[in-house]
Amino acid sequence: MKLVPLGEKVIVRQLEAKKVSTGGIVLPDSAGERPCEGKVVAVGDGHRLADGSLVPLQICEGDKVVFDKYFGCKITLNDEEYLILNESEILAVVG
């Protein structure tokens, strides 16, 4: 199966949480939350304006992005977890 986002939707695969702190302490899975950053795996066609014209998205496949942890819709497909977000819910692109 394949996910194809529509309109201004973006599909993101969340990055894994760090297992070791900066001080070298090993963190158990229950100690931290999932990070609010991920890699874009697919983007929709863009925004549709009132006059019917299409504005492409600023986000591209492969971008590393930051988003709020309360945004998006989590889904599981082929044993992988994805997040579907609106482009407007993405806070920044990590460069």
Side-chain angles (χ1 to χ4, degrees), residues 3 5 7 9 19 21 23 26-27 48 57 60 73 78-79 81:
L3 283 175
K9 303 291 187 210
K19 302 287 183 189
S21 73
V26 177
L27 302 172
R48 187 72 62 186
L57 299 180
C60 300
C73 172
N78 300 332
D79 296 328
E81 216 173 85

Side-chain angles (χ1 to χ4, degrees), residues 30-47:
S30 62
E33 297 178 8
R34 291 190 61 104
C36 296
E37 58 185 312
K39 188 171 185 176
V40 176
V41 293
V43 296
D45 295 333
H47 304 279

Side-chain angles (χ1 to χ4, degrees), residues 1-2 4 8 15 17 51 55 62 67 81 83 88 90 92 94:
M1 251 181 178
K2 183 178 176 184
V4 179
E8 64 179 62
L15 298 178
D51 66 359
V55 178
F67 48 88
E81 216 173 85
L83 199 58
S88 60
I90 295 175
V94 179

Side-chain angles (χ1 to χ4, degrees), residues 1 8 13-14 18 25-26 30 46 52 55 64-65 68-69 75 88 92:
M1 251 181 178
E8 64 179 62
R13 180 181 299 128
Q14 282 185 286
K18 291 182 180 179
I25 299 170
V26 177
S30 62
V55 178
K64 186 176 175 184
V65 295
D68 192 327
K69 66 181 172 181
I75 63 162
S88 60

